[in-house]
Amino acid sequence: LAGRVVGGIGTSLLAAAPEAWLCAEHARLSLPAASLGGIFGWAYFGDSLVAIASGQVASRAASAGGPQAPFLASLPLLAA
């Protein structure tokens, strides 16, 4: 149970920290408020493209090398 609680907290921080940083930098640079929505829109759009591409790569890896292949294919990216 404690592992799930700590995992949930970690996931929340992982999602919220970059957004909080972006808002703070946006305010520090005194950029127009209207631009923040556009920045987040492009960020979420980019995240969607990365998720789709990752799913396609994992699917092709699994088809070619079995169920462990997507994890093996991710190793070079994790090492970088």
Side-chain angles (χ1 to χ4, degrees), residues 8-9 11 16 19 21 29-30 41 52-53 55 62 67 78:
I9 293 169
T11 301
E19 293 175 358
W21 170 82
L29 295 172
S30 300
I52 291 167
L78 294 172

Side-chain angles (χ1 to χ4, degrees), residues 44-60:
Y44 292 135
F45 177 70
D47 286 346
S48 300
L49 293 179
V50 170
I52 291 167
S54 298
Q56 293 296 317
V57 169
S59 177
R60 288 196 171 98

Side-chain angles (χ1 to χ4, degrees), residues 12-78:
S12 296
L13 289 174
L14 183 64
E19 293 175 358
W21 170 82
L22 178 60
C23 290
E25 285 297 303
H26 190 271
R28 185 181 69 80
L29 295 172
S30 300
L31 297 173
S35 68
L36 189 58
I39 293 169
F40 275 117
W42 280 108
Y44 292 135
F45 177 70
D47 286 346
S48 300
L49 293 179
V50 170
I52 291 167
S54 298
Q56 293 296 317
V57 169
S59 177
R60 288 196 171 98
S63 294
Q68 76 281 2
F71 299 100
L72 296 174
S74 71
L75 287 177
L77 297 173
L78 294 172

